[in-house]
Amino acid sequence: MNGQTTPESFGEQTIWQTFKYDMGSVGRSVGYAFTRPTKWKDKQWIDFAGIVAGTALLTLADDEIDHWSDGFRSAIPNNVLHFGGKTANPEGNYSLSGAVYFTGLFIKNEKLRRTGVLMLASSITGGVLQQVTVRVLGRSRPLTGDSANSFDPLLLKKVNNYDSFFSGHTVLSFGNAYAIAKQFKSPWIKAGIYTVGMIPGFTRIVISKHWFSDVALGTVMSILIVESIDKYLDSRYNQKYNNKKVNWDLSFAPGQIGLNVRF
């Protein structure tokens, strides 16, 4: 445990003491995630440059993908749209994170508590980063009728319909799904959870709330945030997730963008 003292390492603790420790873990995790770039080496900066370049390439196809979506918007079931637009909103995601954490707290399950801490810290980190980004860039949403390359940058206040990049629903919903999937070893269960986590991003494209690149970056950001925080939580909790990692490899080539997943 690298000398780290945890509630489990110094005897039976009250629920209040455990709760304070876990909320401290949430705060420390958020701080760790935001300061982590100061520790990046060459490989991490190269990966970051690749994500920036890949996202820039995706923006070139955003208008075409939005027009292509016109052909099937009306065919998407209303319950799917409701899940993506309402159930998976920030309030719903934070409620899910809280439910997972408090369940683990009251049944005294450290692994479940850690999952809740991971979800809460990742949601806070992703939410703050997304809110800052939308104000700095001020990208128009598809529903405005403007092109994907329309920006009104450096907005001190959030302006509705000019807060598209990147997708907050996606970074929260897929981040939670990714954190929950860490509980399981089966690639099929993981894939099923990932699929559910991707529904909100898909529906945001369908209802013209986001461009495809907004959702793609939100997905990538959620993975990076969860992985970074989960690595930090190894020093705070005795319980670890299964040792078999999921490797996500991004590849870019002229006219081609790839995402390879290895279980």
Side-chain angles (χ1 to χ4, degrees):
M1 294 304 297
N2 300 322
Q4 177 68 53
T5 301
T6 70
E8 288 73 18
S9 66
F10 51 79
E12 186 70 21
Q13 299 296 297
T14 66
I15 288 180
W16 175 243
Q17 289 172 318
T18 303
F19 174 76
K20 288 194 298 181
Y21 181 86
D22 291 336
M23 292 304 101
S25 296
V26 171
R28 288 169 180 261
S29 296
V30 173
Y32 175 87
F34 278 113
T35 58
R36 189 60 186 166
T38 64
K39 307 293 185 182
W40 284 357
K41 304 299 182 183
D42 290 346
K43 183 183 184 304
Q44 285 76 30
W45 284 111
I46 291 172
D47 290 343
F48 175 75
I51 291 172
V52 172
T55 304
L57 286 174
L58 284 178
T59 63
L60 300 179
D62 276 335
D63 285 308
E64 183 177 346
I65 292 174
D66 183 57
H67 294 324
W68 171 69
S69 301
D70 290 337
F72 60 83
R73 294 186 201 277
S74 60
I76 306 301
N78 287 332
N79 58 342
V80 174
L81 296 177
H82 178 78
F83 174 80
K86 301 295 183 182
T87 307
N89 61 14
E91 293 80 4
N93 277 283
Y94 283 114
S95 296
L96 174 60
S97 302
V100 170
Y101 170 71
F102 282 109
T103 299
L105 177 67
F106 288 114
I107 69 173
K108 297 184 178 181
N109 185 308
E110 184 193 353
K111 191 174 181 181
L112 200 55
R113 277 176 35 230
R114 172 175 171 158
T115 301
V117 168
L118 176 60
M119 293 168 70
L120 287 167
S122 299
S123 295
I124 293 170
T125 303
V128 171
L129 185 59
Q130 190 265 349
Q131 287 296 303
V132 171
T133 304
V134 297
R135 285 167 172 76
V136 171
L137 295 180
R139 189 186 196 189
S140 65
R141 293 183 185 270
L143 55 78
T144 63
D146 294 336
S147 74
N149 294 316
S150 296
F151 294 87
D152 188 5
L154 302 179
L155 301 169
L156 295 180
K157 292 184 178 181
K158 184 177 178 180
V159 177
N160 288 335
N161 298 330
Y162 282 85
D163 52 357
S164 184
F165 189 83
F166 51 92
S167 171
H169 278 66
T170 300
V171 77
L172 294 178
S173 62
F174 193 77
N176 274 347
Y178 190 72
I180 291 172
K182 282 179 169 288
Q183 293 279 337
F184 303 95
K185 294 182 179 181
S186 169
W188 298 106
I189 295 177
K190 287 180 179 290
I193 296 172
Y194 294 154
T195 299
V196 173
M198 288 179 175
I199 291 175
F202 169 72
T203 61
R204 300 298 279 176
I205 295 172
V206 170
I207 64 176
S208 296
K209 286 286 190 177
H210 283 291
W211 306 99
F212 178 75
S213 61
D214 299 334
V215 172
L217 183 61
T219 302
V220 172
M221 290 301 299
S222 66
I223 295 170
L224 295 178
I225 290 169
V226 170
E227 286 293 349
S228 176
I229 291 176
D230 196 37
K231 181 179 179 181
Y232 171 73
L233 290 178
D234 279 343
S235 68
R236 301 279 295 176
Y237 293 90
N238 294 318
Q239 289 291 324
K240 306 293 189 285
Y241 297 116
N242 63 81
N243 294 324
K244 190 173 182 181
K245 300 293 184 181
V246 178
N247 296 314
W248 300 76
D249 294 327
L250 294 170
S251 59
F252 304 100
Q256 179 180 348
I257 299 175
L259 176 63
N260 300 314
V261 185
R262 297 197 305 275
F263 295 95

